[in-house]
Amino acid sequence: MTLPFLLAAMTLRVENCRTWSANRMLDAIDASQQSHDPLRLLVQNASFIRSASVAYYEGQRYPALERIAGAPDVLSKIFAPKTFTP
């Protein structure tokens, strides 16, 4: 079964027939880039467990934020120190 989406509340239990770990997931992502086999996941949502298939073959990606000239600097406001004035 292929799920159309995975929810934030779901817990990843198994990936490609192995118990989940971050290193195994990264290895599976790297392997899928070469083999073009979808990632096979077993996810749990409350008491329900379902299988999911993720067709992703682009390898590991680490996006970076880039400033858009002329746009308001929203992140500086978010990360600015917060002070309390009674």
Side-chain angles (χ1 to χ4, degrees):
M1 169 186 209
T2 301
L3 294 176
F5 53 85
L6 297 173
L7 302 173
M10 292 180 170
T11 303
L12 183 57
R13 295 291 179 203
V14 175
E15 152 270 320
N16 287 353
C17 300
R18 300 184 70 187
T19 55
W20 185 87
S21 77
N23 288 334
R24 285 190 191 128
M25 179 58 84
L26 294 175
D27 290 343
I29 290 170
D30 290 339
S32 71
Q33 187 176 16
Q34 299 300 319
S35 68
H36 288 274
D37 291 332
L39 295 171
R40 296 182 319 265
L41 308 175
L42 194 62
V43 293
Q44 182 175 1
N45 187 7
S47 63
F48 297 96
I49 296 178
R50 302 185 92 174
S51 62
S53 178
V54 179
Y56 177 77
Y57 313 116
E58 296 181 28
Q60 298 179 39
R61 294 175 57 184
Y62 298 93
L65 298 175
E66 293 182 13
R67 181 94 166 95
I68 299 173
D73 186 6
V74 177
L75 285 179
S76 291
K77 291 179 184 176
I78 292 171
F79 291 121
K82 310 296 186 263
T83 58
F84 175 72
T85 307

